[in-house]
Amino acid sequence: MSIASTAQFICFAALSITLVVGALGVVLLPNIVYSAFLLGGVFLSVAGLYLLLNASFVAAAQVLVYVGAVNVLILFAIMLVNKKENLAAIPGLALRRVLSGAVCAGLFALLLRVDLTTSWALPGPEPLGDEATLRIGEHLFSDYLLPFELASVLLLMSMIGAIVLARRDVLVSDVITGEPVDQGLIEKERIPLLLDRSALESSLLEKTP
Amino acid sequence: MVPALADLTPLISAAVTPGVVSPGLDLESSFSAALEGFGFTPAAAHLLWLPLPMLLVLVAAVVGVLVTVWLERKISAAVQQRIGPEYAGALGVLQPIADGLKLLVKEDVIPAKADGLLFTLGPILVVVPVILSWLVVPFGQHLLISNVGVGIFLWISLSSIQPIGLLMSGYSSNNKYSLLGGLRAAAQSISYEIPLALAVLAIVMMSNSLSTVDIVDQQNGAGILSWNIWRQPVGFLIFWICALAECERLPFDLPEAEEELVAGYQTEYAGMKFALFYLGSYINLVLSALLVSVLYLGGWGFPVPVEWLASALGLSPDAPLVQVITGSVGIVMTVLKAYALVFIAILLRWTTPRVRIDQLLDLGWKFLLPIALVNLLVTAGLKLAFPAFFGG
């Protein structure tokens, strides 16, 4: 084996082990913060696998979107609501675990079967390397235009929805119930912290008998 | 600007076409050729070559930090009419080394109620992506670790890993100030990443490539006149503001605002772990300055193209001496531009007050983001209207 292919194999093995162990940790660890950090590790090792496949643009996009945005938001949400409390005991927990484990094992078996029965084209097509960025752009604006535009419309809708939910206070009536809403969160005119001393004293003088 | 550039159009287009740009120094091929002369296989020569530029850049990054720390101390002293460090070496140049040694021999405290594993991992996650990003910083046509095709995009995505390290250290310190600092850092980093990426996108649109080498090549047709700052003045300002915000430098250093949060996510850290944060923030500052110079100030380009000077002196641009001089001038120009920007950053830090958190988020989302979008749109329009100037 040449140096390059040995290095590639070692990288592949390390990334795959990190991926599998990390993914198991995300599901099995009781501490949700550890799970969230491990999820970041899993995303990073997936990006590493993309790099091994010569898909550097996809790898960088994976890091940017999944590690930099999705995972950070998950962590953000966990840390903002992180309350130390014991979860209430759920009745029939053992049965639920067995059932969900069985469903996962079934899915895994299905994937294994697909993997083993498909006749893969080996070796695969020649990787494009740096030209891939151009090719992805061409595809997005020609034959994948409709899904691309639909995804952007979906994002726009969710953005407008988020604004409406977050700024419900500026609307006169509630979007859902139709009742007039409390305007308490609107920015008010600032109440001066340092009161006008003469006015204060005169009002105090009036009160004293 | 446009009439002045009009005479230079053939020059710009000539420089953009491949083959006209001189190949420049290629140290790797010379090194490999020398080793193969000693009987090494090409693969072994490549393997021996690989760690050299990485080590060199690592050392350059750390030395850059030492210089920046010294500059920060001296310039802040000058701003406040003090003398600054004086006794450690001439003009106090050894002061950063003394600082580093102090941090090195300090006790490495992990608070009793902290989460030891995450507490240790946090600073590492902050520093590693920053150092990795030096991969794409070019100091010359071939003077960079790797001319990866995704270039500048790699830097954007790597810099988005950093907030995870900050959140990790903030959370694991088990301290409310640390947690608040970590959350602020993540919020700030996410908000300013978007206008930053949009400003970079406008540059990428003009140079038709994500690679940092191509971006510099596209700017160096007519020396200082063809630098991107003239074509992207708004983008330059957006990028610089966002880069300062990403580095958590003073107008935007809310995650570690002393009056509010003790020291933010760094509160519980001491010794080498604290030094890693310190190192990371300064490496990031130098890196941002280098990238501003690459994206907007012509990178390694001299204000007058070295090829013109060589041909004016009657020398071939491919002559070995000219090649060596071009390479050295390239490194000097890149570092000079970067340190001029670091000087501005330090001056800003010691002269401007800190913004409030709501002002920070307002500036990012309500001002920089729309401006960056408009800038992108205008660049696209100009590229269609004047393909000769905006890289058609």
Side-chain angles (χ1 to χ4, degrees):
Chain A
M1 253 201 288
S2 72
I3 297 168
S5 61
T6 315
Q8 198 166 6
F9 178 74
I10 292 171
C11 288
F12 176 72
L15 285 172
S16 315
I17 290 170
T18 327
L19 183 67
V20 172
V21 173
L24 285 177
V26 172
V27 185
L28 298 177
L29 280 181
N31 188 341
I32 191 170
V33 176
Y34 277 170
S35 293
F37 281 127
L38 270 180
L39 189 63
V42 170
F43 286 147
L44 275 181
S45 40
V46 172
L49 285 179
Y50 288 147
L51 266 189
L52 273 188
L53 293 170
N54 266 337
S56 48
F57 182 80
V58 183
Q62 162 91 9
V63 172
L64 181 66
V65 174
Y66 284 96
V67 183
V70 173
N71 199 35
V72 168
L73 283 184
I74 289 174
L75 282 168
F76 216 87
I78 289 173
M79 285 179 183
L80 281 180
V81 294
N82 190 26
K83 269 164 83 180
K84 288 251 162 60
E85 57 179 329
N86 292 322
L87 296 172
I90 308 163
L93 187 63
L95 182 69
R96 284 168 191 242
R97 280 192 174 152
V98 168
L99 278 179
S100 54
V103 170
C104 293
L107 271 176
F108 185 64
L110 205 64
L111 279 175
L112 264 187
R113 190 178 178 281
V114 170
D115 184 27
L116 293 177
T117 52
T118 312
S119 57
W120 302 101
L122 283 175
E126 196 65 19
L128 282 170
D130 289 344
E131 220 180 288
T133 316
L134 274 177
R135 197 64 68 82
I136 290 171
E138 279 167 9
H139 277 302
L140 277 184
F141 283 97
S142 56
D143 39 353
Y144 288 98
L145 186 62
L146 187 64
F148 181 72
E149 291 295 331
L150 281 181
S152 58
V153 170
L154 182 72
L155 283 177
L156 184 69
M157 277 159 60
S158 58
M159 206 155 80
I160 294 174
I163 292 171
V164 168
L165 284 180
R167 299 302 305 270
R168 207 183 278 178
D169 51 291
V170 297
L171 303 172
V172 181
S173 61
D174 195 295
V175 196
I176 299 162
T177 57
E179 290 168 1
V181 288
D182 179 25
Q183 305 266 321
L185 283 173
I186 296 182
E187 204 170 332
K188 290 189 179 117
E189 261 186 67
R190 199 157 290 208
I191 303 156
L193 290 174
L194 299 170
L195 290 172
D196 190 1
R197 221 189 150 92
S198 58
L200 192 72
E201 274 166 6
S202 64
S203 68
L204 279 177
L205 281 175
E206 279 167 23
K207 277 180 192 165
T208 45
Chain B
M1 214 55 249
V2 173
L5 273 176
D7 316 327
L8 300 166
T9 316
L11 289 166
I12 295 173
S13 54
V16 170
T17 46
V20 179
V21 176
S22 75
L25 287 177
D26 193 348
L27 292 177
E28 182 182 357
S29 59
S30 336
F31 182 83
S32 302
L35 277 187
E36 279 164 40
F38 288 118
F40 283 88
T41 61
H46 186 62
L47 202 66
L48 281 175
W49 163 259
L50 272 180
L52 292 182
M54 299 184 201
L55 277 177
L56 193 66
V57 163
L58 198 61
V59 170
V62 175
V63 171
V65 169
L66 294 181
V67 174
T68 314
V69 170
W70 178 76
L71 278 177
E72 176 115 69
R73 283 170 166 275
K74 273 303 197 190
I75 295 170
S76 68
V79 168
Q80 298 170 343
Q81 303 193 336
R82 293 183 283 116
I83 296 173
E86 192 180 21
Y87 295 109
L91 291 174
V93 281
L94 296 180
Q95 188 64 42
I97 298 174
D99 289 350
L101 275 179
K102 183 198 81 174
L103 288 172
L104 192 68
V105 296
K106 254 187 160 178
E107 185 187 355
D108 191 12
V109 186
I110 297 181
K113 289 279 181 76
D115 188 325
L117 178 68
L118 294 185
F119 192 78
T120 315
L121 212 56
I124 299 173
L125 261 183
V126 172
V127 174
V128 169
V130 181
I131 293 181
L132 264 184
S133 306
W134 280 70
L135 198 68
V136 296
V137 178
F139 292 91
Q141 189 76 39
H142 294 280
L143 296 174
L144 79 168
I145 301 182
S146 167
N147 183 10
V148 280
V150 288
I152 199 75
F153 188 49
L154 184 74
W155 170 65
I156 292 176
S157 67
L158 279 176
S159 70
S160 73
I161 299 179
Q162 220 187 0
I164 289 191
L166 300 179
L167 277 175
M168 197 183 264
S169 47
Y171 170 79
S172 62
S173 301
N174 204 2
N175 173 330
K176 61 183 172 188
Y177 297 118
S178 297
L179 183 59
L180 278 175
L183 288 175
R184 273 190 183 186
Q188 180 172 335
S189 173
I190 293 176
S191 326
Y192 280 79
E193 196 118 290
I194 302 166
L196 183 94
L198 288 174
V200 171
L201 198 58
I203 294 285
V204 169
M205 206 150 69
M206 289 199 322
S207 46
N208 296 319
S209 171
L210 287 164
S211 151
T212 41
V213 174
D214 291 350
I215 289 173
V216 176
D217 271 342
Q218 167 264 342
Q219 295 176 62
N220 278 344
I224 192 168
L225 290 178
S226 56
W227 288 356
N228 272 338
I229 184 170
W230 310 122
R231 290 179 278 180
Q232 286 286 329
V234 180
F236 172 73
L237 285 178
I238 295 170
F239 188 91
W240 183 234
I241 292 173
C242 294
L244 284 183
E246 294 264 315
C247 295
E248 287 149 20
R249 295 284 302 177
L250 194 79
F252 310 108
D253 76 334
L254 288 138
E256 44 200 274
E258 294 92 348
E259 300 88 340
E260 303 159 26
L261 296 178
V262 192
Y265 52 84
Q266 305 171 350
T267 306
E268 299 287 347
Y269 282 87
M272 257 337 261
K273 294 201 185 87
F274 173 76
L276 281 184
F277 280 126
Y278 200 68
L279 199 67
S281 78
Y282 277 102
I283 294 183
N284 206 359
L285 175 66
V286 177
L287 176 76
S288 301
L290 278 170
L291 283 168
V292 172
S293 78
V294 164
L295 289 176
Y296 292 97
L297 301 177
W300 64 78
F302 196 66
V304 183
V306 183
E307 288 81 14
W308 290 9
L309 292 179
S311 58
L313 292 172
L315 294 165
S316 153
D318 294 328
L321 180 69
V322 178
Q323 290 282 313
V324 169
I325 291 176
T326 314
S328 329
V329 166
I331 295 174
V332 170
M333 284 318 289
T334 317
V335 173
L336 199 70
K337 288 166 189 169
Y339 272 93
L341 290 162
V342 167
F343 174 74
I344 295 174
I346 293 174
L347 214 55
L348 273 176
R349 171 170 177 179
W350 294 94
T351 44
T352 49
R354 176 181 302 130
V355 296
R356 272 197 331 254
I357 184 82
D358 59 324
Q359 291 170 335
L360 175 96
L361 294 177
D362 274 0
L363 178 72
W365 288 103
K366 294 188 190 161
F367 183 72
L368 289 181
L369 182 61
I371 295 272
L373 281 170
V374 169
N375 182 47
L376 189 65
L377 197 69
V378 169
T379 310
L382 286 172
K383 183 181 157 109
L384 288 178
F386 307 103
F389 303 116
F390 292 89

